Amino acid sequence: MTHFIKADRFLLENEEKTNGYLQVNDNRFGVFVDAVPEDATVVDWSGYTIAPGLFDTHIHGINGHDIMDGTVDAVQGISKAILPLGVTRFLPTTLTSSKEDLNAAISAVRNAVQRGLAGAQSEGIFLEGPYFTEKHKGAQNPGYFRDPNYEEFREWQQLAEGSIVKIALAPERDGALEFICAVGDDGVLPSLAHTDADFDTCRRAVDAGARNFVHLFNGMSGLHHREPGVAGAALIDGRAFAELICDGHHVHPEVAALAARTKEDKLSLITDCMRAGLMPDGDYQLGEFPVVMKDGIARTETGSLAGSTLKLVDGVKNLYVWSGKPLYEVWHRASLSPAASLGREDVLGSIADGKLADYVVMDEDISIQAVAVAGEIKYRNN
């Protein structure tokens, strides 16, 4: 069924448009027009802005749930909790853990997807680890760190029924470059994280197919004028995407604005959210580590940041203020860039003819009023 959406403003793929009508054909966007036929079905959102659904490609949990709980309920809980926040697509993200716990988490995601998710839809699994190095371990458990093993990965991929789409590793581990080539040939996005590699090692990893850097500036060697390190490689190499947590704690606002200017459409906003998101301050668990959240900031007992409690839409709001860039451009860093990092920009991430009709309705304060997944309104702020 074809209908038209009327609104005051539309954040289209390459520009903002005021007034007008957006065509929706069943579950996909159609064209943007200035007028519609008299007999057209019109959904009137006058006074509001229509923007593409957000895509969080790095989220561990929220609202008391965590992917590493290894249960269908946890996956469903995350799916439901992030939908009212404007997120229509996400990558359920694991942590470095035992093989048994990873198996359970992968199975839970697979089973939840097969049964159908009630909120945001999974676009595949992100394995964050376990092939890291200890110096920048963050909240990852070094007791499980090891060299990349393609046969082990194939076992996980078989368990996931082919739904693992992204894996993070440290490129200085033995066999890392060969592993990057192998999983890249399988259509999986190799990403660099929790690493102390030098610039040249990172460049070789990108040459091999690692086209994404996980949570830029965090869990990696920093930028130095004589040794650019991992952060320098992420900023300098125009072939690679870089993830950014825009909560004002993981990265200084001015540095976040610098990254936005440097990486442009190769910047992906993420949350790296853990189970304490949407929850009150207190004691929580991230994987096998106890975590204390105070003033909305989650830290391990040693003081390391332990993921975030960020809402992706708040990351967009922050970068919009910090960078001074147009809203449609900043918004796409949390929708189109994440989709493009996975090679899915042809069907997801922006309002364009033929793409899946994931969209949010928001007011002038960028507060979410409604969310649609594939053309169907799934959330409405009563």
Side-chain angles (χ1 to χ4, degrees):
M1 176 183 174
T2 296
H3 66 274
F4 292 85
I5 301 171
K6 180 183 179 182
D8 284 11
R9 181 169 63 158
F10 296 84
L11 305 187
L12 304 179
E13 183 163 320
N14 296 308
E15 61 183 336
E16 292 187 12
K17 286 276 194 179
T18 55
N19 301 311
Y21 301 82
L22 175 64
Q23 184 183 48
V24 178
N25 302 314
D26 295 323
N27 64 346
R28 294 184 181 270
F29 292 122
V31 295
F32 181 84
V33 294
D34 294 325
V36 297
E38 289 186 4
D39 60 348
T41 299
V42 176
V43 177
D44 193 347
W45 285 105
S46 295
Y48 296 99
T49 294
I50 305 297
L54 300 174
F55 188 173
D56 195 344
T57 57
H58 187 158
I59 176 170
H60 297 280
I62 195 170
N63 202 31
H65 303 290
D66 193 291
I67 294 300
M68 295 308 299
D69 292 344
T71 67
V72 169
D73 285 347
V75 182
Q76 283 283 12
I78 295 166
S79 168
K80 293 175 185 177
I82 60 179
L83 184 71
L85 308 179
V87 178
T88 55
R89 307 280 162 171
F90 73 114
L91 296 187
T93 305
T94 65
L95 279 170
T96 296
S97 190
S98 69
K99 194 166 184 177
E100 292 74 21
D101 285 348
L102 286 169
N103 287 349
I106 290 168
S107 296
V109 174
R110 181 200 64 203
N111 292 334
V113 170
Q114 288 176 347
R115 297 179 193 182
L117 296 177
Q121 299 300 295
S122 169
E123 287 297 312
I125 298 170
F126 171 25
L127 292 184
E128 191 183 7
Y131 309 132
F132 294 142
T133 47
E134 189 165 348
K135 185 171 181 180
H136 298 283
K137 65 180 184 296
Q140 304 279 339
N141 190 338
Y144 299 113
F145 288 173
R146 51 192 181 272
D147 292 331
N149 185 317
Y150 182 67
E151 293 307 315
E152 180 177 56
F153 170 78
R154 290 302 306 164
E155 292 175 13
W156 281 322
Q157 188 67 292
Q158 184 175 5
L159 182 62
E161 297 184 351
S163 62
I164 299 171
V165 297
K166 178 178 170 185
I167 185 168
L169 71 156
E172 67 268 38
R173 302 273 340 189
D174 288 345
L177 296 184
E178 294 82 1
F179 181 86
I180 288 168
C181 289
V183 298
D185 288 344
D186 290 342
V188 176
L189 175 65
S191 303
L192 306 184
H194 297 286
T195 166
D196 194 42
D198 59 21
F199 179 83
D200 291 337
T201 299
C202 290
R203 179 60 63 85
R204 288 192 293 270
V206 176
D207 289 342
R211 299 299 169 87
N212 186 59
F213 288 80
V214 175
H215 42 50
L216 181 61
F217 301 112
N218 291 276
M220 61 179 61
S221 54
L223 173 67
H224 187 276
H225 58 282
R226 284 191 291 272
E227 172 45 59
V230 183
L235 290 170
I236 292 167
D237 201 314
R239 298 170 295 173
F241 288 83
E243 302 176 359
L244 195 66
I245 306 170
C246 283
D247 61 358
H249 308 300
H250 282 77
V251 178
H252 190 281
E254 291 294 345
V255 177
L258 173 64
R261 292 193 298 270
T262 303
K263 295 302 293 182
E264 297 183 325
D265 62 356
K266 290 294 180 69
L267 186 74
S268 296
L269 300 190
I270 60 162
T271 62
D272 196 12
C273 191
M274 47 86 73
R275 71 169 74 246
L278 299 179
M279 301 290 283
D281 282 356
D283 297 328
Y284 295 91
Q285 199 80 12
L286 181 60
E288 299 177 10
F289 292 108
V291 170
V292 176
M293 182 171 71
K294 183 178 180 181
D295 299 325
I297 305 171
R299 296 184 183 274
T300 64
E301 292 177 325
T302 62
S304 296
L305 288 168
S308 87
T309 60
L310 178 68
K311 303 170 188 173
L312 191 53
V313 68
D314 287 345
V316 173
K317 292 178 187 179
N318 288 339
L319 190 60
Y320 177 50
V321 172
W322 300 341
S323 70
K325 290 178 175 290
L327 180 58
Y328 82 89
E329 184 177 328
V330 177
W331 191 276
H332 283 133
R333 301 295 79 81
S335 61
L336 185 55
S337 292
S341 73
L342 297 165
R344 299 188 182 176
E345 69 276 20
D346 57 334
V347 293
L348 293 171
S350 63
I351 297 175
D353 190 10
K355 292 192 178 187
L356 284 171
D358 290 0
Y359 64 89
V360 303
V361 181
M362 59 187 180
D363 62 21
E364 60 183 9
D365 296 323
I366 317 182
S367 296
I368 306 299
Q369 302 302 313
V371 182
V373 179
E376 180 182 355
I377 296 289
K378 294 279 192 177
Y379 165 77
R380 190 185 297 266
N381 183 356
N382 293 325

